[in-house]
Each structure stands twice: as C-alpha cells, then as structure tokens.
C-alpha cells in the first residue's frame, strides 16, 4: 500500500495522508513519479482498507499538513497548497504558496510541516540546502531554519535559524517549540528570533549562538521525526514525553523536559521501540485519533546520503511500513469527523486528554475564526477568554493560545488578560507573545497598511514596561522578542532599546535569555550607542547579564570604525569602548577584560591600524597593569609595557590562554621576543618538559606568521622532535606565506625534510602560487600537479576497498599515529584532533562502505557549509579553510589545525570558493598500505581501541582486525 514513505499527517476525519518518493535522491527539480496517498479505515477494524492517490507527479514531497480547505505540501523548490474542489478525492487545484527552497541536498529539504499553537504553519530546512525565497517583496537567504507561513495572508517568516539537518518539530504544553537534529546534539528548544549552533557554515556577524538543551546522548546521531506524546491511551509513564526516530539506532528515543529559566534541560528516558532489523528507519511519529502512537518507517538499506548518492539505484523502492503501537487494547475512536462539530464542541476538545484532538480542534477553530468572521465567533472567543481567566481555568495550552491568537481578541483585551494572568507565567508570556505579533504589523506611518492608534501605543507601552521586569524569565523572554518587533516609527516610552535593557536587569543566565536580547538589540546598538553605553556603565552588581553584554556591544561598535579612524565619530567610538572597560573595571574584571580584548583583536588583525589608534591609546588613562592593559600600553609605545609582555611570554605559570594572547601582541610590538620564547620551548623539548598544546601551537603559528627567517629556521631545526600531528599543522601554516613556503620547499629539496609531510591539498595550494620560484620547486619535488578535481576516483575507491577487504590486517592502536597526521588536522574523534570539518566520533562512520567513500572520494558530496574557500591577501598570503564569518569588514576562516584566521576585507585580493573538499583527494598516496590498514582498523571501531567494550561499524571486514567480534557482522543483518 505504501512505498518509500517520507511524511505523514492525520486529518479531521482520522484519515492518514502519506507522501511517497520514488525519485529520492534526485537533486534536479521538475515533475516526478512521487505521490500523495490517503489511507482510510472504512469498516472500523483498525486497518487501512482504502487507499486513494490524492496527487501524482511530485518530486520528493518531504512535508505535508492538512488545513484551511486543502493540503500543504513541501515539494522543493515549492511549497504547494493543493485542493480537491469537486469532491472526487483527487487534487484538481494547486497554488505555489512559496518558492525558492533549494535541492542541493535532498536529505535536507523543507520538511515536517506542522501547525503551531499560534495558528501558523511551520517547517524546517537543513544546513546543506541553501534556499533563497523571494516572497511578498522580501528576500530570505537561509539554510538550517525553522520557518513559518501565515495560512491566510501567506506571509513567510524565519522563526529561528541554526542546528544541522532538523527533521521533526513539536510543541510542549507551554507552546514552546522543539526540534530534533542530526550529527550535533539531538534536541533543541527553538525560540523566535534565536540563532542556534550550526553544524557547519558561517554565522551572521555578531552572532551570540544558542546551544542545545541536552545533557546526554542516545546511541548514534541521526534523527528523523519528533513528536510530543500525550494521550490517555497509554499509562502516565509514557505521556508528556518527546519521541524521536533514530534511523541509525533503528529505534525510537525518548526525552523528558524540565524548566531552566526561560528555556529547558532535557533528560533521556528508556527507548520506546527498538527494532531487530537494520532497515527500520522511523521518519515520522504521530498520535492518532485512537490515542496510539503511529510510526512511519522509510524502510531501506541505506541510512546515509553518501550511500544513496553513490548508488541511487541501490535505494529500495519496493517497501514502506506504518506501525501503530497499542498499550493492551486499542481505544475506540470517539469522533469520526471533527469538521462536523460545532464551535462549542471543538472548544471542548481543546482540553481533551488526546493531543491529536487538541491539535486538530485548534486548527479547525483557527481556520473558522480567520475565514468566516461572524458575531457567533466573537461570542465563542469571549467565552474562551472567560474560561482561561476564571479562577479554575484549565491548563490546556490549545485553549489558551486559540483564544489569544484569534483576530476577534483585541489588543486592549490582551492587555487586560495579561494583568489577570499575573500568577500564571505561561499565560502571561503568551499574552506578550501575541502582542508582539500585533506589533510586527503596525506603524504610525500612514503609508503603511496598518497603523497603531495612540491609545493602543499607551496600552502596549504600559504592558511591556511591566513585563520587562516580571519575576518569571519566560515573560521577560517574550518581552525582548516583542520589543524587537517595534517599528522605529512607533514611539513609546520606554522605547524598544530601554525595554530590552530592562529585561536583562536582575536576570540570571540560563543560556537563552541574554542571547535572545542580544539578537534583537544588536541592530539598534549603533544608533542607540550612548543609551546602551550609559546603561552598562551604571549597571549594578545584580545586573550581571547586562554587564556581560558589554564585550558584544564593544565588538559591534568597533565594527563600524574604519581602519585608519578617518570616519567622523570613529575616535569617539573607540573612546566610548575604552570608557566601558574603565567603568566596569572596579566592579568586575572579566567583562572589562573582554572589552579590552575586543579592542586588541581589532589591533592585531589590522581592522584598526595600530598607528592610527596610537594617539588615543597614549591619551587613555585606564587603570590596571594586567595583561590586557599592558598589551594596549605596548601598542601605545610604552617601553615598560613592552618589556612586561616580553617577560610574560617566558612565564610558565601564566595560563596558556593569556600567553597566547600576549604572544599575538608581542609579535607586532616586540617581535624580537619571539626568538626567546621559541628558545624556551626548544629547551622544554630537550628536557622533556610537558608543554600545553595551546601554547605550543600558538607559538609555532606566530613564529611562522611573524618571525624573521632566523627564527623560522630555528623552528625547522626541531622538526624531527615534533609529534607527527604538530608537523602536519606546522606545514599547513608555512605554505600560507611565500617566505615560509620557499624555506620549507628548500628543506625538502635538500633532503632535510621528507616530501610526504605535505598532503595533496597543500601541494595543490603551492602549485597554484603566483610565485615562479615556488612553482618550480613544486615541479622539482612532485612533478606535474593536478589542481582540479579528478575523474576516476571510483576506481581508486574500488582498489582501496579490495585491498582493505582482502589482504589488510590493521592495528587500531598504531592507527592513532596515522590519524594525527592525516585526519586530526581537521577532525575530532574521541576528543583527539582539531575541529574544522565534522566531528566524526558519532557521525560519518555509519558503515564501512560509507567510510571508504568519505576518505578516498571526499569531493563526491560536499555540503555548502563544508565548501572550502581560498583567500589570497594583498601581501601574498594564501589561506584555505571554511568560512566562519564573512561581512563587509572581514572574513574569518577556520583552517587546518583548528585555528581561525581573520583577514580584513581591505586586505583581501581574491576570495574564491573551491570546487574541492577541504579534505584532500589522494590520501592513498600519503600512506603505506600498512598505515592504511592501521588507520581503518581505528576508524571502524565504534569506541577508542582501549575501551573495554567495542564494536565495529556495520560492514567492517573480519580480515581487518585481529580479533573480529561476531556482533554487527554483515551476515547478521536480515534480508528485507
């Protein structure tokens, strides 16, 4: 009845709508073979006995929702609204509501269309699927995001951004949104306007990212589907839980939630379902009208996009499953067709024990209130208001939100209800949230479609002023979001900036509130500079979050300053930032130091020229003689400060972080101190003294970038004594500059260093140099070097597979040395290595076949977030890495070895995306066959080789290890 099912939903009649995809993993847009099917139980025996094809000709329909007289379908690049206008059960009218979603990665398409408690339709998009939506005069460029659409006005918004490949959105009884994500942490609380940690790709400038809510992990790291389950068909221990599909673990994981200020912390609970079949891939979970949990199973041999893209014809196109999980006995279905119920009956269902009825009743009422404005609806809404404001009001979120978001509820009534809800933070915060929704559409500009009367402005100002200092952080959170929506033309007292600053006063840090305030305040920092600086400078000891905002305010203000301080106001801005540090120094050292650190960062990168800032720093009378002050005094030309920072470089008792920062300043103001610091490290090597990795790496990097040739040669003299991973990191740094490239190549030509110390990408980077001398040296050492991606990688993959499957016998412990040299410069595994590309402890090693393709054909599939960029600077530096941040002022790259490189845009000669993965082709040429076997023996273990318990990844050949375990061998996987 169903094959390759991707998405599902229930309608008001209890029918199940399922999308099927035979086209997967096709990347091209256009008509396809995919369908929408409607499953119906006509005789009440609990099995679908009628299957209707509602629509055909689709192309990977990845999300579906029913409501407002039709069916909403994500069919990238479009989001469609399809209707059956003649009642024959088939779509005969289709509207393209929104277009512009990407298809760069068909595993991260727009998905999980779901109705939110505010009446909007929500959906998700993944990190490797760039989308450019142009809609109603606005343009939205985004990747990983939770978006929403107003079903009546068709307005499109980005609700929040970040995470990875989120697939599954759910709401808890407070109306908070949660999503499940792959690769990174599995569960996230998403709040409007928030920007969350990304799996990869650049952040917008000045982002203060928000982290996940998990303090635990489940098995594997690939999730699909998320559902908040609450139904009296199950005992209490199964209710009020988040259920999510784990497609690598072949199970349904469970999380529980507890409040943490304005956000949550989740904890793991026992798995709900575990399959004995490796093909089980749960993609959607929903509660049905009988109160049971339904699980949609994609059912396929391929779990990962690498496998599907490498072998599209190997995707199974003959199976699909839909399960229902019953506790003891399936309850009878009490409502056959919700659409036939009266408004009053539907209002009663908003508090039903079965979440399915609460959700569907809310959708139908929202549709009626918006589509058929009648006096009876006004009366229904007034009745709902009376219920939720009564002393014994029910706790149903759906009753609360349906009443508040209805257009029949006035702004004055929202303000009145807020005052009545003073003891109920959930209801109070929803009042503020809905007020914020109204604010997003109003202006005092008569040319705008909606204006705000004076009396409404006064009401809004009064309510928001009270809410900004509410005891409960949930109310403060919504106040900050609402203030961010205030049009600058709407003048209220206090203004939006003051409201957001008030939200922070007296609040505690819960990981969310301050970041949301910053997200909404940042666009106003420059225009309200004096107001914000004054608030921070006069903050009390209880205003910790306001004080901790200071470094971000400083960074934002400094971004407007021209490098030569030539723009009017530049000098005053720099003085204002220094004044913030001075005002904070007496009360709190850390934020004051962070503000000074922001100034130093601009001086070190050249975003503010030290010679231009020198007169201001000379006139600055900041108190203190700590590392930050000494560095700034050194930039001012103070010889005593310069001597102090030289001494700090040799102080082994200082933290590595402080020594690293001082080192970067000393390289500019006291470069001769580099040789003394390097000599100290050489002495540490000779005496086998332990040196922190952070300090060592910073020292070697700075010697390469700032040292003279004598110091750099002194460094190369120690080459043979360095760990293999440090050599690889150092080589990657040296090829960025022409001087050190010549030095390194000269050592290789002389035979002092081995040529295999450089990897394929590094050799290509040298071959692309504009220096004729470097090009000739490359030809002398390696001959002709191909700089484009190659055909024929499949032949290499096959050859390496044959070797590893037949004659290879590896030692996982020896594999660590190969890992440090080959992989650890860009990947972390079990806490070892540098994080540039994906962390591979739990991701990218799903099975042996996938692992081989990833290593030997890395450019086969490159997500945009992992596309490398080549930057050539005006002084000849050549950098290759992943973009962390890019704007008009600077570009920040994460390069091999885990270091970030900041380049002012004024210093960039060329910036170009590479067609190749940052992970190089040709790794088979960088290892002996034995080293290859050792590396794969390590990579194919689930846990470190020293672990007491270990398993291989699926499909690992028994020949590779000396003591192969029986579990998870290929023969144990059942045939479909």
């Amino acid at each position: 009845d169903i094959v390759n099912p991707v998405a599902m939903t229930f309608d008001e009649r209890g029918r199940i709508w399922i999308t099927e995809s035979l086209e997967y993993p096709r990347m091209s847009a256009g008509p396809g073979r995919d369908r929408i099917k409607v499953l119906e139980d006509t005789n009440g025996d609990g099995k679908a006995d009628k299957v209707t094809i509602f629509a055909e000709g689709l192309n990977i329909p990845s999300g579906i929702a029913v409501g407002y007289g039709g069916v909403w379908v994500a069919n990238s690049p479009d989001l469609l609204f399809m209707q059956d206008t003649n009642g024959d059960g088939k779509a005969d009218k289709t509207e393209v509501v929104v277009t512009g979603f990407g298809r760069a990665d068909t595993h991260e398409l727009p998905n999980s269309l779901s109705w939110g408690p505010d009446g909007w339709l929500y959906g998700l998009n993944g990190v490797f699927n760039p989308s450019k939506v142009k809609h109603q005069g606005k343009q939205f460029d985004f990747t990983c995001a939770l978006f929403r659409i107003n079903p009546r006005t068709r307005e499109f918004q980005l609700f929040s951004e970040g995470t990875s490949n989120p697939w599954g959105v759910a709401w808890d009884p407070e109306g908070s949104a949660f999503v499940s994500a792959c690769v990174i942490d599995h569960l996230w609380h998403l709040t409007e306007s928030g920007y969350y940690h990304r799996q990869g790709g650049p952040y917008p400038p000045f982002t203060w990212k928000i982290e996940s809510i998990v303090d635990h992990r489940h098995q594997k790291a690939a999730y699909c589907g998320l559902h908040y389950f609450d139904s009296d068909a199950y005992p209490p221990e199964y209710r009020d839980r988040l259920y999510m599909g784990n497609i690598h673990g072949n199970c349904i994981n469970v999380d529980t939630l507890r409040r943490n200020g304005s956000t949550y912390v989740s904890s793991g609970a026992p798995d709900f379902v575990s399959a004995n079949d490796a093909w089980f891939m749960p993609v959607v979970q929903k509660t049905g009208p009988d109160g049971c949990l339904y699980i949609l199973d994609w059912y396929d041999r391929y779990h990962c996009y690498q496998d599907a893209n490498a072998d599209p014809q190997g995707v199974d196109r003959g199976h699909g499953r839909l399960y229902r999980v019953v506790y003891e006995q399936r309850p009878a279905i009490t409502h056959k067709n919700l659409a036939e119920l009266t408004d009053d009956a539907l209002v009663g269902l908003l508090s039903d024990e079965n979440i399915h009825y609460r959700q569907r009743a809310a959708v139908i009422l929202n549709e009626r209130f918006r589509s058929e404005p009648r006096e009876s609806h006004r009366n229904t809404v007034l009745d709902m208001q009376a219920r939720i404001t009564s002393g014994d009001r029910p706790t149903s979120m759906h009753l609360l939100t349906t009443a508040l978001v209805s257009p029949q509820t006035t702004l004055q009534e929202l303000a009145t209800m807020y005052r009545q809800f003073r003891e109920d933070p959930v209801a109070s915060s929803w009042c503020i949230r809905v007020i914020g929704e109204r604010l997003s559409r109003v202006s005092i500009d008569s040319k705008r479609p909606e204006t705000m009367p004076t009396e409404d402005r006064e009401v809004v100002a009064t309510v928001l002023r009270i809410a900004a200092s509410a005891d409960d952080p949930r109310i403060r959170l919504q106040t900050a979001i609402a203030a961010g929506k205030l049009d600058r033309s709407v003048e209220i007292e206090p203004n939006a900036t003051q409201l957001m600053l008030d939200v922070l006063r007296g609040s505690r840090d819960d990981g969310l509130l301050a970041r949301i305030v910053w997200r909404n305040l940042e666009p106003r920092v420059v225009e309200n500079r004096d107001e914000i600086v004054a608030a921070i400078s006069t903050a009390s000891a209880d205003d910790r979050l306001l004080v901790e905002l200071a470094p971000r305010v400083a960074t934002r203000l400094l971004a407007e300053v021209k490098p030569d301080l030539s723009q009017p106001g530049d000098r005053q801005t720099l003085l204002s930032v220094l004044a913030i540090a001075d005002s904070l120094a007496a009360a709190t050292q850390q934020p004051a130091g962070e503000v000074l650190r922001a100034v130093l960062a601009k001086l070190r990168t050249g975003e503010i020229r030290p010679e231009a800032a020198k007169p201001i720093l000379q006139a600055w009378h900041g108190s203190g003689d700590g590392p930050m002050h000494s560095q700034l005094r050194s930039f001012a030309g103070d010889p005593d400060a310069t001597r102090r920072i030289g001494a700090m470089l040799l102080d082994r008792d200082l933290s590595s972080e402080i020594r690293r920062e001082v080192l970067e300043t000393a390289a500019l103001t006291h470069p001769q101190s580099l040789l003394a610091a390097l000599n100290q490290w050489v002495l540490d090597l000779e005496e086998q003294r332990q040196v922190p990795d952070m300090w060592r790496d910073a020292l070697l990097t700075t010697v390469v970038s700032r040292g003279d040739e004598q110091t750099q040669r002194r460094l190369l003299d120690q080459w043979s004594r360095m760990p293999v991973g440090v050599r690889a990191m150092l080589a990657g740094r040296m090829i960025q500059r022409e001087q050190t490239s010549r030095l390194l190549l000269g050592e290789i030509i002389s035979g002092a260093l081995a040529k295999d110390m450089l990897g394929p990408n590094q050799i290509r980077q040298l071959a692309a140099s504009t220096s004729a001398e470097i090009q000739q040296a490359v030809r002398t050492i390696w001959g002709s070097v191909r700089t484009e991606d190659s055909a024929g990688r499949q032949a290499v993959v096959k050859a390496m597979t044959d070797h590893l499957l037949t004659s290879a016998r590896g030692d996982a412990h020896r594999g660590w040395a190969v890992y440090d040299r080959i992989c650890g410069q860009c990947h972390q595994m079990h806490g070892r290595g540098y994080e540039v590309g994906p962390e591979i402890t739990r991701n990218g090693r799903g099975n042996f076949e996938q692992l081989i393709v990833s290593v030997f054909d890395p450019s086969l599939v490159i997500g945009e977030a992992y596309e490398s960029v080549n930057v050539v600077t005006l002084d000849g530096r050549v950098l290759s890495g992943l973009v962390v941040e890019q704007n008009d002022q600077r570009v920040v790259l994460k390069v091999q070895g885990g270091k970030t490189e900041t380049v002012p845009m004024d210093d960039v000669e060329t910036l170009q995306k590479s067609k190749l993965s940052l992970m190089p082709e040709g790794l088979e040429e960088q290892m002996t066959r034995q080293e290859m076997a050792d590396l794969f023996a390590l990579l194919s273990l689930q846990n470190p080789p020293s672990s007491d318990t270990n398993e291989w990844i699926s499909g690992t050949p028994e020949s590779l290890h000396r003591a192969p375990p029986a579990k998870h061998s290929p023969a144990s996987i059942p045939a479909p």
Side-chain angles (χ1 to χ4, degrees):
D1 293 324
I2 56 174
V3 295
N4 291 51
V6 178
M8 69 170 284
T9 191
F10 286 90
D11 68 7
E12 62 276 2
R13 291 164 53 184
R15 299 180 301 177
I16 302 170
W17 296 68
I18 289 178
T19 69
E20 298 180 325
S21 181
L22 301 174
E23 295 292 348
Y24 167 85
R26 172 181 161 187
M27 297 176 70
S28 61
R33 299 169 291 167
D34 297 345
R35 303 169 294 216
I36 297 173
K37 285 181 176 175
V38 183
L39 278 60
E40 189 172 3
D41 172 15
T42 62
N43 58 16
D45 67 352
K47 294 185 181 294
D49 51 61
K50 181 180 178 181
V51 179
T52 305
I53 297 178
F54 175 77
E56 297 181 273
L58 300 172
N59 186 351
I60 315 186
S62 47
I64 188 168
V66 177
Y68 287 79
V71 182
W72 306 75
V73 182
N75 187 64
S76 188
D78 306 322
L79 191 144
L80 307 175
F81 181 62
M82 310 182 79
Q83 292 178 286
D84 168 19
T85 63
N86 59 14
D88 66 353
K90 297 183 181 299
D92 49 54
K93 183 180 179 181
T94 298
E95 171 195 353
V96 177
V97 179
V98 171
T99 192
F101 291 100
R103 293 185 69 94
D105 188 333
T106 51
H107 305 80
E108 313 216 357
L109 297 172
N111 66 84
S112 305
L113 297 184
S114 306
W115 296 106
D118 53 7
W120 291 59
L121 181 66
Y122 284 75
L124 293 163
N125 192 71
V127 68
F128 297 132
N129 191 45
S131 299
K132 191 183 296 290
V133 170
K134 296 180 180 180
H135 189 66
Q136 296 183 346
K138 298 179 181 179
Q139 179 166 316
F140 304 86
D141 295 338
F142 60 96
T143 56
C144 43
L146 177 64
F147 61 85
R148 65 177 183 172
I149 296 167
N150 186 307
R152 277 289 158 231
T153 66
R154 302 301 201 251
E155 180 182 0
F156 179 88
Q157 293 180 358
L158 296 181
F159 186 79
S160 58
E161 295 185 73
T163 76
S164 60
N165 178 19
W167 201 289
V169 59
W171 285 266
D172 76 342
E174 294 189 12
S176 299
F178 300 86
V179 301
S180 60
C182 290
V183 181
I184 56 177
D185 288 345
H186 64 274
L187 190 63
W188 303 76
H189 168 215
L190 297 194
T191 298
E192 186 174 5
S193 75
Y195 207 108
Y196 293 77
H197 172 83
R198 297 174 59 98
Q199 178 189 345
Y203 292 88
F206 319 114
T207 297
W208 190 4
K209 68 176 183 176
I210 306 166
E211 301 295 342
S212 77
I213 60 170
V214 304
D215 58 5
H216 65 288
R217 288 182 174 179
H218 298 291
Q219 66 274 54
K220 312 289 185 173
Y223 292 86
C224 202
L226 180 71
H227 180 62
Y228 193 93
F229 181 83
D230 185 29
S231 163
D232 56 357
Y234 289 7
E237 61 266 28
Y238 294 98
R239 299 180 62 174
D240 290 307
R241 302 273 194 275
L242 283 165
Y243 289 67
M244 65 205 79
N246 187 326
I247 62 174
H248 281 174
N250 313 119
C251 61
I252 300 292
N253 295 140
V254 184
D255 271 29
T256 60
L257 300 170
R258 67 179 186 274
R259 263 287 169 189
N260 175 32
S262 65
T263 184
Y264 298 78
V265 173
S266 74
S267 301
D271 292 344
F272 181 71
V273 163
S274 291
N276 62 348
D277 188 338
W279 283 40
F280 176 68
M281 293 175 61
V283 291
V284 183
Q285 305 83 44
K286 296 285 184 185
T287 303
D290 53 14
C292 300
L293 186 71
Y294 287 69
I295 301 170
L296 190 65
D297 178 10
W298 165 258
Y299 201 72
D300 198 292
R301 64 181 294 195
Y302 287 151
H303 294 67
C304 275
Y305 71 97
Q306 294 101 326
D307 306 312
N309 284 342
D311 181 21
Q313 299 310 311
V315 173
D316 179 81
R317 291 178 171 83
H319 295 86
R321 297 173 176 180
L322 176 61
Y323 297 96
R324 174 177 57 240
V325 183
V326 176
Y327 185 84
E328 292 188 350
Q329 184 175 351
R330 180 183 180 229
I333 295 176
T334 54
H335 302 284
K336 301 299 183 183
N337 190 348
L338 301 183
E340 296 176 349
L341 299 183
T342 64
D343 288 358
D344 288 343
L346 289 171
V347 169
L349 286 181
L350 294 175
S351 303
D352 195 88
E353 289 283 351
N354 183 347
I355 194 171
H356 165 80
Y357 288 128
R358 300 200 297 264
Q359 292 172 334
R360 291 309 307 172
V363 171
I364 297 170
L365 284 170
N366 281 324
E367 178 183 350
R368 290 180 183 178
F369 293 160
R370 287 167 168 79
S371 305
E372 311 165 11
R374 297 197 304 258
E375 184 62 29
S376 62
H377 290 154
R378 170 67 176 163
N379 293 334
T380 300
V381 170
L382 289 174
D383 176 63
M384 295 167 69
Q385 290 180 15
R387 293 193 192 194
I388 62 178
T389 56
S390 64
D392 57 347
R393 61 183 178 270
T395 57
S396 167
M397 177 264 293
H398 292 88
L399 177 61
L400 171 72
T401 59
T402 305
L404 296 183
V405 304
S406 69
Q408 289 79 11
T409 297
T410 68
L411 194 59
Q412 299 279 347
E413 288 169 341
L414 287 168
T416 299
M417 284 188 285
Y418 174 77
R419 295 184 180 93
Q420 294 173 312
F421 289 145
R422 294 297 295 275
E423 303 302 319
D424 186 341
V426 175
S428 297
S429 61
W430 264 100
C431 283
I432 300 301
R433 178 170 173 174
V434 178
I435 288 173
E437 293 282 7
R438 304 283 177 91
L439 292 177
S440 67
R441 301 193 298 272
V442 299
S443 168
I444 62 171
D445 184 350
S446 60
K447 297 180 181 179
R448 293 274 294 274
E450 296 186 50
T451 59
M452 178 182 284
T454 301
E455 60 271 22
D456 282 350
R457 290 207 304 274
E458 293 174 355
V459 167
V460 166
T462 300
V463 170
L464 293 183
R465 181 177 65 250
I466 297 170
S469 56
D471 292 336
D472 196 281
R474 289 168 283 191
I475 303 173
R476 293 192 180 212
L477 177 73
Q478 293 303 327
T479 304
I481 296 170
K485 294 178 178 180
L486 269 169
D487 190 283
R488 285 169 170 79
S489 65
V490 180
E491 297 179 2
I492 67 171
E493 183 62 38
N495 64 30
T497 296
Q498 292 168 337
L499 283 168
M500 286 185 268
L501 295 173
D502 287 345
V503 164
L504 289 182
R505 289 190 172 94
S507 292
R508 73 174 184 87
D509 186 14
D510 56 23
L512 177 67
L513 182 60
R515 289 159 175 79
I516 292 294
V517 170
W518 173 246
R519 181 77 172 158
N520 289 277
L521 180 65
E522 181 269 318
R524 303 171 189 260
V525 166
V526 174
E527 63 184 270
N528 298 124
R529 179 189 69 185
D530 295 341
E531 185 177 358
I532 294 171
V533 170
I536 293 173
S537 300
T538 57
S540 72
D542 293 330
D543 302 331
R544 187 162 63 93
L545 291 186
L546 186 58
V547 169
E548 289 181 355
L549 212 63
R552 301 190 177 276
V553 170
T555 301
R556 180 66 187 90
L557 292 173
L558 292 172
E560 299 298 310
V561 172
K562 293 294 183 183
D564 56 1
L565 302 180
S566 58
Q567 186 172 262
D570 282 352
R571 291 172 177 267
Q572 183 56 49
T573 296
L574 180 55
L575 287 170
S576 295
V577 170
L578 293 170
I580 292 175
D582 290 342
S583 65
L584 296 179
T588 174
Q589 292 297 318
Q590 183 175 352
E594 292 294 331
V595 172
L596 297 182
R597 184 174 280 113
V599 177
L600 284 166
K602 295 290 181 181
L603 292 169
R604 294 189 196 110
T605 61
E607 293 169 87
I608 295 178
R609 308 294 187 198
E611 60 273 14
K614 189 172 183 178
I616 295 176
L617 296 175
Q618 288 175 331
W620 174 57
H621 299 292
S623 59
D625 57 357
M628 299 301 163
H629 289 82
S630 294
Q631 290 177 74
L632 286 169
R633 292 292 182 202
S634 182
F635 274 113
D638 183 335
D640 290 337
T642 301
R643 282 192 292 272
R644 282 199 299 274
I645 66 172
M648 289 178 193
L649 295 184
L650 303 178
D651 187 352
R652 294 188 179 96
D653 293 332
L654 280 180
S655 72
S656 296
E657 178 63 27
I658 292 177
R659 292 178 80 186
R660 181 189 63 77
E661 291 179 341
V662 171
L663 176 69
E664 293 178 1
T665 297
L668 294 171
T669 65
H670 189 29
Q672 59 269 35
S673 62
L674 288 183
L675 182 58
L678 181 64
N679 285 336
Q680 184 192 66
W681 177 70
V682 171
L683 181 62
D684 289 337
L685 273 180
E686 293 172 348
E687 296 181 355
Q688 298 183 338
R689 185 182 287 113
Q690 187 68 35
V691 177
D693 291 351
M694 177 188 289
W695 165 244
R696 176 203 65 204
D697 292 353
L699 174 63
L700 303 188
T701 298
T702 306
V703 167
V704 169
S705 62
R706 303 288 185 182
D708 57 20
E709 186 172 331
Q710 175 193 358
T711 310
Q712 290 164 350
R713 286 189 180 278
R714 171 78 165 138
L715 177 60
L716 286 178
D717 289 341
Q718 307 303 314
W719 189 270
S720 62
R721 303 173 65 179
M722 298 180 198
V724 63
V726 176
R727 298 181 205 174
M729 177 273 292
L730 190 56
R733 299 283 186 271
M734 295 190 76
I735 65 170
Q736 293 174 4
R737 290 169 170 79
E738 186 172 336
Q739 172 186 319
T740 48
S741 293
R742 289 199 305 267
L743 184 62
L744 185 65
L745 293 172
E747 293 293 293
I748 294 174
I749 290 173
S750 72
L753 299 178
K755 69 177 184 178
D756 62 1
M757 60 180 283
L758 294 179
N761 272 6
Q762 295 168 333
I763 299 169
R764 289 193 187 105
Q765 185 173 326
L766 288 167
S769 170
T770 58
S771 166
E773 183 180 347
I774 291 177
Q775 290 178 2
Q776 179 56 49
V778 170
R779 285 192 292 270
T780 300
I781 300 169
W782 291 285
S784 177
V785 176
R786 173 177 46 79
T787 57
E788 295 295 328
D789 53 335
S790 67
R793 292 309 300 174
Q794 289 184 348
V796 173
V797 169
K798 183 178 185 306
M800 296 304 102
T801 302
D802 290 344
H803 165 63
L804 292 168
L805 288 177
T806 54
S807 58
R809 293 181 64 83
D811 184 320
H813 292 277
R814 289 201 309 256
W816 277 121
V818 191
Y819 174 89
D820 290 340
R821 176 166 60 91
I822 299 293
C823 312
Q825 297 304 304
C826 288
H827 296 286
Q828 275 194 346
M829 186 174 72
H830 306 307
R832 190 156 169 169
Y834 299 96
E835 186 179 353
V836 180
E839 198 266 0
I840 60 174
T841 304
R842 299 164 65 231
N843 174 53
R845 299 188 298 127
N847 63 65
F848 195 71
E849 183 179 2
Q850 172 197 345
L851 184 61
I852 291 179
V853 172
S854 297
V855 172
F856 296 115
D857 195 4
S859 296
L860 176 66
V861 179
I862 311 174
E864 185 185 52
Y866 292 123
E867 288 181 345
S868 62
V869 169
N870 298 323
V871 174
V872 179
T873 65
L874 293 174
D875 63 358
R877 292 176 63 199
V878 181
L879 302 171
S880 182
L882 304 181
V883 176
V884 176
E885 178 187 324
Q886 183 179 347
N887 52 53
D888 293 339
Q889 288 81 32
R890 63 183 187 171
V891 59
V892 181
L893 299 182
K894 186 181 284 188
V895 300
Q896 288 185 350
K899 190 178 187 297
T900 57
E901 294 277 0
T902 301
V903 183
M905 290 303 288
D906 290 345
D907 293 345
V908 174
E909 181 173 330
T910 62
L911 187 154
Q912 191 174 28
K913 277 189 176 181
S914 173
K915 298 178 181 179
L916 300 173
S917 168
L918 191 63
M919 182 172 173
E921 292 178 359
L923 289 180
E924 69 279 1
E925 301 171 5
Q926 302 300 305
M927 298 177 277
T928 67
R929 291 301 175 94
Q930 184 56 56
E931 287 176 330
M932 188 184 301
D934 293 342
L935 176 62
F936 274 82
L938 171 67
L939 295 178
S940 61
L941 286 175
Q942 297 280 18
N943 300 315
S946 57
S947 176
D948 292 336
T949 59
N950 224 323
E951 298 174 356
W952 297 351
I953 63 174
S954 176
T956 300
E958 294 187 0
S959 61
L960 189 58
H961 289 273
R962 302 189 185 283
K967 191 174 182 181
H968 288 312
S969 65
S972 70
I973 301 175

